[in-house]
C-alpha cells in the first residue's frame, strides 16, 4: 500500500523564546525537521507533506533541502494538531493509502519504530506510538482496555485518575487516508486549549466501530522538544546514540562522552577519536585515521592513516590524502594536502595545494587574503618549507624546492631551488660583551647616586 507522511511544523514554539521557528532549531547541526524527514525518507514514502505556519518560508526552504518534491501546505492559524493534519486534505485528495503523521518537534524516532507502526495497520484501523513515561509531565495519556486504545486525553483535560496513567502519546499516528480525513472532519475544539486535537481522532474512530491500538516504543525516541532544556536533552540523546553506533562500527572512543558528532559524520573502521573532539557538518574520516584530543573538524575529508591534532582545526574544504600529519595548533581551510605531507606545528594553510611528502615547517602561514580577494598557494612534491615562512599568495613553490626559515616568499620558487627571502645576518665580533659591560656600568652608576 502506498504511504504519505504528514509532518506537523507550523507551531511557533513559544517556550523556545526564539525568533527561529521551533522545528528549525538544530540537533547535531541539522534542523529538527531534517531529522524527522530523514527518518521518514527511509520508509520510502510516495508523498511527503510538511505543514508550515510560523516562519513558513524558512520551514519550506529547509524542507525542500531534504526533499525537493515535498509539498509544503500552510496552516495560517495554529488551531491544533488535528487542524494541522487537516491542512493536508487538499494535497492528498488524489492519494489513497496510509498516512503517517509525524511532529517536526520530535526528532529522535528511528525508522524501524515508524515501520512497526505502519505495519500495525495490517491489524487495526488507527495506530499510534505510545511509551511508558518515567515522568509523564504534559504528555497526552492513553486510555486503554486490554490491547485496545479507547481514547487519548490531553494533560490539560485529564482528571487526577487519568493524570496518574504513565502510558503516553508520542504524537505519531498512522491511519488509512480516507478514514483519517473522515475522522478529522468530526473534530471539535471544546477542550481546555480550545484546539482541534489530533488525539481526539481515536475516540471518534472507536465510536464509529473502528479499531485502534498502541505500538509501544522506547521513551528516548519520543522526546518532544518544547523548550531549550528539552532541545539540550534531545541533543544528548542523539549524541549518545551516535557514539554507541560509532563504537559498534569499529571506532575507538576512549572518552565517548566528550566527543560530539554532527548528523552526517562518517567514520571508517579502526578510526581513533580521542577525548574532546568536535565534529561540525560534512566530515568523513577514513579507516585507520587518528583524530587526537581537542580537535575541531568541519567540512573536511581525512583519508586512511592520517593523524590530526591534538588541537587541530580542519575547516571546510580541508582534503587530507593518505597518511598526512596535521599537528597542534594548525588550521587548514580549502586546502588539498597530498599523501604523506606534514604540517606539524602552529601553521595556517588556506586556499592551498600541497604535494606528496612535502614538509611544512613550524609557524608557516599562507598569506591568502589581500583584504579583498583570496589567492592560492601551490606547493609541489617533496618540498621543504622552512619554519616561519610567509607564503604570500598567489605563489607557486616547485617540487623538491626549499624555503629558508623566516622567509617572506613573494615570487615563485622553481623546482629544486632554495629561496631565501630574509635580511642577511651580520656578526660583530666582541660587540655583545662591550654592549653589556656598558649597560651594567650605567646601572651601577644610577644605584650609587
Ligand atoms: C502533542 C499531543 C500529545 C503528545 C505530545 C507528544 C495533541 C493534541 N497532543 O502535544 O498527546 O503527548 O504531542 O509530543 O496532539 N502543530 C502544528 N499546528 C498546530 C499545533 C501544533 O503544526 O496548530 C505542530 C507543532 O509545531 C509541533 C507538533 O504539531 O511540531 C506538536 O504540537 P505541540 O503543540 O507541541 O503538541 P503538544 O502539546 O506537545
Ligand atoms: Ca510538543
Amino acid at each position: 500500500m502506498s504511504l504519505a507522511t504528514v509532518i506537523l511544523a507550523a507551531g511557533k514554539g513559544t517556550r523556545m523564546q526564539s525568533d527561529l521557528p521551533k522545528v528549525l532549531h538544530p540537533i547535531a547541526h541539522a534542523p529538527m525537521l531534517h531529522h524527522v524527514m530523514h527518518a521518514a525518507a527511509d520508509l520510502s514514502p510516495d508523498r511527503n507533506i510538511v505543514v508550515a505556519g510560523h516562519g513558513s518560508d524558512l520551514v519550506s526552504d529547509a524542507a525542500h533541502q531534504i526533499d525537493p518534491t515535498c509539498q509544503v501546505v500552510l496552516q495560517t492559524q495554529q488551531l491544533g494538531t488535528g487542524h494541522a493534519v487537516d491542512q493536508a486534505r487538499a494535497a492528498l485528495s488524489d492519494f489513497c493509502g496510509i498516512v503517517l503523521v509525524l511532529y517536526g518537534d520530535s526528532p529522535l524516532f528511528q525508522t524501524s519504530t515508524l515501520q512497526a507502526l505502519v505495519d500495525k495497520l495490517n491489524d487495526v484501523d488507527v495506530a499510534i506510538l505510545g511509551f511508558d513515561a518515567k515522568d509523564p509531565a504534559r504528555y497526552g495519556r492513553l486510555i486503554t482496555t486490554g490491547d485496545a486504545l479507547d481514547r487519548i486525553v490531553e494533560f490539560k483535560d485529564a482528571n487526577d485518575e487519568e493524570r496518574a496513567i504513565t502510558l503516553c502519546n508520542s504524537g505519531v499516528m498512522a491511519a488509512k487516508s480516507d478514514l483519517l480525513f473522515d475522522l478529522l472532519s468530526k473534530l471539535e475544539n471544546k477542550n481546555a486549549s480550545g484546539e482541534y486535537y489530533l488525539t481526539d481522532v481515536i475516540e471518534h474512530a472507536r465510536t464509529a466501530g473502528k479499531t485502534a491500538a498502541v505500538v509501544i516504543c522506547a521513551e528516548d525516541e519520543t522526546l518532544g522538544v518544547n523548550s531549550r532544556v528539552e532541545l539540550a536533552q534531545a541533543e544528548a540523546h542523539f549524541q549518545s546514540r551516535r557514539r554507541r553506533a560509532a563504537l559498534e562500527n569499529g571506532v575507538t572512543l576512549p572518552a565517548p562522552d566528550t566527543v560530539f558528532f554532527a548528523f552526517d559524520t562518517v567514520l571508517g573502521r579502526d578510526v581513533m577519536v580521542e577525548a574532546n573532539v568536535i565534529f561540525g557538518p560534512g566530515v568523513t574520516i577514513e579507516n585507520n585515521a587518528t583524530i587526537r584530543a581537542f580537535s575541531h573538524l568541519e567540512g573536511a575529508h581525512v583519508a586512511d592513516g592520517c593523524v590530526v591534532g591534538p588541537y587541530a582545526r580542519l575547516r571546510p574544504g580541508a582534503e587530507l590524502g593518505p597518511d598526512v600529519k596535521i599537528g597542534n595548533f594548525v588550521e587548514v581551510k580549502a586546502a588539498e594536502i597530498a599523501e604523506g605531507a606534514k604540517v606539524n606545528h602552529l601553521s595556517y594553510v588556506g586556499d592551498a595545494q600541497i604535494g606528496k611528502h612535502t614538509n611544512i615547517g613550524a609557524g608557516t602561514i599562507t598569506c591568502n587574503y589581500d583584504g579583498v580577494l583570496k589567492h592560492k598557494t601551490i606547493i609541489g612534491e617533496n618540498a621543504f618549507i622552512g619554519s616561519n615562512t610567509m607564503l604570500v599568495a598567489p605563489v607557486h613553490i616547485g617540487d623538491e624546492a626549499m624555503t629558508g626559515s623566516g622567509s617572506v616568499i613573494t615570487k615563485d620558487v622553481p623546482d629544486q631551488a632554495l629561496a631565501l627571502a630574509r635580511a642577511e645576518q651580520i656578526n660583530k665580533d666582541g660587540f655583545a660583551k662591550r654592549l653589556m659591560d656598558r649597560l651594567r656600568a650605567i646601572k651601577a652608576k644610577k644605584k650609587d647616586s
Side-chain angles (χ1 to χ4, degrees), residues 399-429:
D399 292 346
E400 296 173 53
M402 291 175 89
T403 66
S405 293
S407 289
V408 178
I409 302 294
T410 55
K411 291 187 292 208
D412 289 355
V413 180
D415 289 354
Q416 300 183 339
L418 166 66
L420 293 171
R422 61 191 187 199
E424 209 169 325
Q425 182 171 329
I426 311 162
N427 289 342
K428 299 194 176 184
D429 288 337

Side-chain angles (χ1 to χ4, degrees), residues 16 44 58 95 120 123 125 193 203 219 228 255 322 338 357 428 436:
M16 296 299 284
S44 310
L58 293 174
F95 173 84
K120 190 72 185 171
D123 311 327
D125 298 309
S193 304
E203 199 173 357
E219 178 168 12
R228 306 256 186 175
H357 303 292
K428 299 194 176 184
M436 293 310 279

Side-chain angles (χ1 to χ4, degrees), residues 30-325:
M32 286 196 272
L33 178 64
H34 285 189
H35 289 265
V36 178
M37 290 183 77
H38 282 306
D42 291 339
L43 299 168
S44 310
D46 305 276
R47 304 277 282 272
N48 287 315
I49 314 282
V50 173
V51 182
H54 277 281
S56 56
D57 288 346
L58 293 174
V59 170
S60 171
D61 288 349
H64 286 116
Q65 275 171 22
I66 299 298
D67 176 8
T69 69
C70 79
Q71 269 177 285
V72 176
V73 300
L74 275 186
Q75 186 197 26
T76 44
Q77 273 184 295
Q78 280 64 61
L79 302 180
T81 49
H83 179 261
V85 177
D86 206 32
Q87 305 314 298
R89 184 186 290 272
L92 290 176
S93 59
D94 59 340
F95 173 84
C96 181
I98 291 172
V99 175
L100 175 66
V101 178
L102 299 158
Y103 290 176
D105 69 350
S106 303
L108 296 175
F109 284 103
Q110 309 256 44
T111 304
S112 54
T113 306
L114 301 178
Q115 185 66 57
L117 181 71
V118 169
D119 292 346
K120 190 72 185 171
L121 291 192
N122 292 323
D123 311 327
V124 295
D125 298 309
V126 187
I128 65 132
L129 282 177
F131 63 103
D132 226 325
K134 277 189 215 79
D135 170 18
R138 309 185 70 79
Y139 287 113
R141 306 299 205 264
L142 305 183
I143 314 294
T144 52
T145 308
D147 285 343
L149 176 61
D150 299 330
R151 59 195 175 89
I152 302 175
V153 54
E154 287 306 298
F155 174 80
K156 280 189 188 173
D157 303 289
N159 59 34
D160 289 347
E161 201 182 319
E162 290 162 338
R163 285 182 183 183
I165 295 172
T166 56
L167 188 61
C168 290
N169 177 26
S170 72
V172 182
M173 179 182 286
K176 297 212 189 75
S177 48
D178 45 359
L179 173 64
L180 180 66
F181 288 107
D182 272 358
L183 296 171
L184 286 172
S185 50
K186 296 184 175 154
L187 294 185
E188 291 181 279
N189 62 353
K190 291 181 201 140
N191 51 52
S193 304
E195 290 186 359
Y196 297 91
Y197 293 158
L198 175 63
T199 44
D200 284 349
V201 152
I202 301 298
E203 199 173 357
H204 286 295
R206 297 303 306 277
T207 306
K210 303 289 178 184
T211 52
V214 190
V215 172
I216 302 287
C217 69
E219 178 168 12
D220 57 11
E221 287 187 46
T222 65
L223 184 68
V225 173
N226 302 296
S227 66
R228 306 256 186 175
V229 171
E230 286 165 346
L231 184 69
Q233 286 166 349
E235 177 79 42
H237 277 294
F238 178 90
Q239 293 297 341
S240 74
R241 188 191 280 176
R242 191 64 193 73
R243 290 168 190 142
R244 172 162 286 275
L247 293 166
E248 284 168 358
N249 291 328
V251 174
T252 299
L253 303 173
D257 291 349
T258 68
V259 175
F260 292 84
F261 294 105
F263 69 100
D264 62 349
T265 308
V266 178
L267 303 167
R269 261 170 94 87
D270 293 312
V271 163
M272 153 77 94
V273 182
E274 294 183 356
N276 296 296
V277 170
I278 295 186
F279 292 96
V283 176
T284 298
I285 311 290
E286 292 191 31
N287 299 347
N288 300 306
T290 296
I291 311 300
R292 302 205 55 200
F294 294 98
S295 295
H296 188 285
L297 297 85
E298 61 184 315
H301 175 235
V302 174
D304 274 46
C306 287
V307 179
V308 173
Y311 298 97
R313 178 161 185 219
L314 301 186
R315 291 174 52 204
E319 235 337 293
L320 310 189
D323 302 315
V324 162
K325 291 208 162 55

Side-chain angles (χ1 to χ4, degrees), residues 10-18 20-22 25 54 225-227:
K12 184 174 177 209
T14 312
R15 287 200 278 148
M16 296 299 284
Q17 305 288 0
S18 174
L20 191 67
K22 176 164 75 173
H25 280 265
H54 277 281
V225 173
N226 302 296
S227 66

